[in-house]
Amino acid sequence: MSAAQNPPTENQLKSSENWYTSWFDSPYYHILYKERNYREAQVFMDNLTHYLNLPEKAKVLDLACGKGRHSIYLNQLGYDVLGADLSENSIAEATKNTNETLHFKVHDMREPFEEKYDAIFNLFTSFGYFENDEDNLTTLKAIKESLSEYGFAVIDFMNVNHVLETLVPEETKTVEEIDFHIKRYLKDGHIYKEIDFEDKGQTFHFTEKVKALTLKDFEELMEEAGIYLLDIFGDYKLKKFHKTDSERLIMIFK
């Protein structure tokens, strides 16, 4: 029996305290987002690794790697890659691609790694999910501690100003004959996405909740963590960041 056919758990029927543990582990997460533009993501990683001028066989950490698609591509570029994610299901899937220079592990990003990395990538808004805001600072400190002496870290986050300006409050997306009803709104400094759908006679509800962190918020957190913010870009072609127009907030730091 596939995960999609199992009776819904309590976590699936209502928002759990840590929503990301149930939603990211759900097969429906990967169904809803299957159309993501991975070619654009690869161009981004080409630009990023070129900008950072990473040495051949550099040790790269893909933090919050999901099923490892970007880790695999970084490995194909010639880097020694570890993909880490909290989702056991995603890591189990990613591990099928393991080789001598590509590995995966279940890991909480709030914890530093013993090994040091030449580059740490936290891509595609994989930050700001925690219930406790202190955990955002803890995560930044853990990233800093996991960098080698000459290493760089990258957080690719949404540009909150642009997101709020262009927010679509309600829409329905149909993927694999499932109608995902999506509502988006800002509440208590977080951007919420409520996702409701039915499948195989069952009703599901999930909530995505991301802290609406602006560049100013990140600057304050980084200063507290003893981090140096070196550069800021506004899209995957590494164009200059514009406070209102840029789609992304891409920060290079160490």
Side-chain angles (χ1 to χ4, degrees):
M1 183 182 275
S2 73
Q5 292 170 309
N6 286 334
T9 64
E10 189 178 334
N11 274 352
Q12 288 172 314
L13 289 171
K14 65 174 189 175
S15 305
S16 64
E17 184 186 348
N18 291 336
W19 61 265
Y20 45 85
T21 54
S22 58
W23 177 221
F24 289 163
D25 250 352
S26 157
Y28 295 109
Y29 171 81
H30 299 286
I31 292 171
L32 177 58
Y33 294 121
K34 66 183 285 190
E35 299 303 329
R36 283 185 164 166
N37 188 335
Y38 287 104
R39 180 67 202 127
E40 183 184 50
Q42 289 177 352
V43 169
F44 176 39
M45 285 178 278
D46 288 342
N47 292 335
L48 208 48
T49 52
H50 184 260
Y51 167 82
L52 293 174
N53 195 22
L54 292 179
E56 200 178 338
K57 297 179 182 175
K59 292 174 73 70
V60 175
L61 172 61
D62 182 11
L63 196 57
C65 69
K67 288 188 175 182
R69 193 185 292 247
H70 307 116
S71 301
I72 293 164
Y73 184 69
L74 287 163
N75 182 241
Q76 288 169 353
L77 292 177
Y79 303 116
D80 185 343
V81 180
L82 174 68
D85 199 282
L86 196 60
S87 166
E88 292 184 15
N89 288 349
S90 292
I91 291 298
E93 188 67 29
T95 300
K96 295 173 185 175
N97 301 287
T98 297
N99 62 44
E100 281 185 17
T101 54
L102 176 62
H103 299 91
F104 296 93
K105 72 180 290 187
V106 176
H107 184 87
D108 188 320
M109 65 167 69
R110 290 168 286 192
E111 299 290 329
F113 287 78
E114 283 184 27
E115 232 170 323
K116 305 296 181 194
Y117 293 88
D118 300 308
I120 298 176
F121 295 154
N122 179 249
L123 305 175
F124 311 107
T125 310
S126 302
F127 193 91
Y129 292 147
F130 301 111
E131 290 296 321
N132 184 347
D133 286 347
E134 277 296 307
D135 288 336
N136 294 322
L137 178 62
T138 302
T139 300
L140 283 175
K141 288 178 177 176
I143 291 172
K144 181 178 186 255
E145 281 181 48
S146 306
L147 281 172
S148 64
E149 186 182 353
Y150 300 106
F152 296 96
V154 180
I155 289 179
D156 159 39
F157 200 69
M158 60 182 166
N159 177 12
V160 166
N161 295 321
H162 179 77
V163 167
L164 293 176
E165 192 70 33
T166 58
L167 198 71
V168 179
E170 289 190 39
E171 68 173 319
T172 298
K173 283 187 177 178
T174 303
V175 190
E176 294 188 10
E177 299 183 358
I178 300 172
D179 295 329
F180 293 93
H181 303 286
I182 300 167
K183 291 183 180 179
R184 301 178 180 88
Y185 55 90
L186 178 71
K187 180 184 172 187
D188 299 332
H190 292 78
I191 294 172
Y192 283 80
K193 187 189 285 186
E194 304 274 359
I195 303 159
D196 291 278
F197 56 94
E198 290 182 17
D199 188 39
K200 299 180 176 68
Q202 296 174 7
T203 302
F204 293 87
H205 173 80
F206 289 101
T207 303
E208 291 184 17
K209 174 185 172 187
V210 184
K211 180 80 172 170
L213 293 162
T214 63
L215 174 58
K216 185 172 182 290
D217 294 325
F218 273 107
E219 286 173 338
E220 288 172 1
L221 282 168
M222 288 178 177
E223 187 174 347
E224 198 173 340
I227 281 169
Y228 298 100
L229 182 56
L230 303 171
D231 223 335
I232 309 160
F233 299 111
D235 67 15
Y236 294 145
K237 293 176 182 173
L238 303 189
K239 288 182 183 167
K240 187 178 175 183
F241 176 74
H242 188 280
K243 189 176 177 181
T244 53
D245 296 346
S246 294
E247 291 188 5
R248 308 300 301 170
L249 170 60
I250 298 164
M251 296 161 286
I252 318 284
F253 59 93
K254 64 179 305 172

